[in-house]
Amino acid sequence: MRAYVLTGYGGPASMQLRDIEAPVPGRGEVLIRVHAAGLNPLDFKTREGKLKLIRRYPLPIAGGNELSGVIESLGPGATRFQPGDRVFTRVDKARLGAFAEVATVEESLVAKMPEGLDFETAAAVPLAALTALQALRDELRLSPGQHVFISAGAGGVGTYAIQIAKWLGANVTTTASPKGEALVKRLGADRVVDYTKEKFEEVLRDYDGAFDLVGGETLENTFRIVKPGATVVSVAGMPEPTTARKDLQAGPILAALFWFASRRLRKAASRHGARYRYLFMHPSGTELTELASLIDQKKLEPIVDKVFSFDEIGEAFAYLEAGHAKGKIVIRLHGG
């Protein structure tokens, strides 16, 4: 089968389209004929080797973290799906494999696609939408009437985060360029700060929580705009000890490394009376089923910026890394 394979760590040349042996589903797994796969910053960060401290993959390995497709066959003991089911999934972090013509996935990580979506749109959902749901509902514990700040609302995770925060009853403020302003307003943002004209940290105050999607100076400035005791969740900053224990189920050595690496951010949060949390989302077929229901009810709209063919996946990565996409970038592997 054809796959986009990670052969080493580094720049774009570290991943190549090549033929590899097709996987066979093991116990409790399903074999999925992949129709489309979503791209995420996680994909090029993995290629660059930025996650080697957390997970070292046996190279070469087919890359990719999320997909949509059709169940082709079942492994021993797999009972939740039938061949022909249209499904989507955030694949196992330890195995990857979404950038391939077929993929094997543990059935507990898989869910049936929303009824009204095509494969390309469905492939744009799993990783970004699960990240937003887990950050806003499980970590920030948003409740009706609270005010939340979401940076970079027009991006892949941001477009879901705005909508999920509104579904949870929150009042949403986000940042966007003039090009993205109309989109984030349509998705439900109550206030939009044009970051090309204003510094959000100078005009915002007293937020009940924040979801950082940018990192760096933006993250550090976010601590300044939340109430004392509020939490700032980031997927773009530096992992901290809770990340190791809760998200990665790792031992004290990795927790200690994260404690040291995140000390500057934790001190910055502490100066403003805030709590800092870095989130590594976890795959979940159950939560994907919940998100599919929201999509079917028209309460959640996936936003796809551009679809590339499998042969154009290198160009798709370049487009992703340029950082200007509004919504998600998707690869089409199989028509129909």
Side-chain angles (χ1 to χ4, degrees):
M1 69 171 184
R2 292 182 82 211
Y4 197 52
V5 178
L6 179 66
T7 60
Y9 295 108
S14 300
M15 296 191 79
Q16 303 167 9
L17 271 174
R18 58 167 62 177
D19 288 323
I20 63 173
E21 186 175 351
V24 176
R27 177 161 293 277
E29 295 179 345
V30 294
L31 181 71
I32 302 172
R33 174 66 58 178
V34 181
H35 283 239
L39 262 64
N40 300 276
L42 177 62
D43 296 313
F44 67 77
K45 291 177 182 179
T46 298
R47 185 201 70 207
E48 292 170 344
K50 292 182 176 178
L51 303 178
K52 285 193 292 185
L53 179 64
I54 299 166
R55 180 167 284 113
R56 287 182 177 269
Y57 294 103
L59 303 181
I61 188 173
N65 288 278
E66 62 183 346
L67 62 85
S68 65
V70 175
I71 299 288
E72 193 155 286
S73 64
L74 310 177
T79 59
R80 294 181 58 193
F81 301 97
Q82 296 296 323
D85 286 345
R86 293 158 45 96
V87 297
F88 64 160
T89 181
R90 196 290 189 216
V91 302
D92 189 323
K93 295 180 181 182
R95 295 174 58 182
L96 305 181
F99 299 150
E101 292 179 324
V102 295
T104 53
V105 186
E106 183 181 325
E107 65 174 353
S108 66
L109 308 183
V110 180
K112 289 186 177 180
M113 280 172 43
E115 293 290 337
L117 294 191
D118 57 30
F119 288 106
E120 288 82 6
T121 308
V125 175
L127 191 149
L130 284 172
T131 299
L133 180 67
Q134 292 167 15
L136 297 169
R137 186 174 66 181
D138 302 340
E139 297 298 330
L140 290 180
R141 299 181 182 180
L142 285 185
S143 58
Q146 287 190 316
H147 289 250
V148 65
F149 172 71
I150 299 167
S151 56
V157 177
T159 53
Y160 289 108
I162 291 169
Q163 297 176 83
I164 289 172
K166 294 302 294 182
W167 172 63
L168 293 170
N171 184 286
V172 176
T173 297
T174 191
T175 54
S177 67
K179 186 178 292 187
E181 182 176 1
L183 172 62
V184 297
K185 284 184 175 179
R186 180 171 68 78
L187 296 177
D190 299 285
R191 181 175 180 180
V192 182
V193 177
D194 179 353
Y195 65 79
T196 68
K197 297 179 180 178
E198 291 184 297
K199 295 182 178 181
F200 72 89
E201 67 272 19
E202 295 180 355
V203 297
L204 305 179
R205 284 292 180 274
D206 296 327
Y207 279 76
D208 297 296
F211 186 24
D212 166 67
L213 304 174
V214 179
E217 185 178 351
T218 297
L219 171 56
E220 294 191 32
N221 286 331
T222 300
F223 298 133
R224 298 169 54 183
I225 71 166
V226 297
K227 295 177 179 178
T231 297
V232 176
V233 176
S234 177
V235 294
M238 182 65 65
E240 37 73 39
T242 303
T243 312
R245 294 190 297 267
K246 183 176 179 180
D247 298 344
L248 301 174
Q249 290 78 52
I253 294 177
L254 189 61
L257 287 172
F258 285 174
W259 179 89
F260 182 79
S262 65
R263 67 194 187 285
R264 182 168 175 268
L265 281 172
R266 289 184 291 104
K267 286 181 180 178
S270 181
R271 282 197 300 270
H272 297 283
R275 171 179 175 264
Y276 172 59
R277 169 80 163 98
Y278 182 92
L279 175 69
F280 269 114
M281 59 77 63
H282 59 271
S284 170
T286 300
E287 290 182 349
L288 270 182
T289 299
E290 186 175 5
L291 290 165
S293 177
L294 291 177
I295 293 169
D296 282 334
Q297 296 173 51
K298 308 299 183 185
K299 295 179 180 178
L300 187 63
E301 177 189 356
I303 304 297
V304 175
D305 182 285
K306 195 169 183 179
V307 177
F308 292 81
S309 72
F310 201 15
D311 288 329
E312 298 171 324
I313 192 168
E315 297 172 39
F317 263 79
Y319 185 67
L320 172 69
E321 292 178 64
H324 302 303
K326 300 295 181 281
K328 290 294 296 289
I329 301 165
V330 175
I331 301 299
R332 181 188 297 112
L333 285 91
H334 183 70

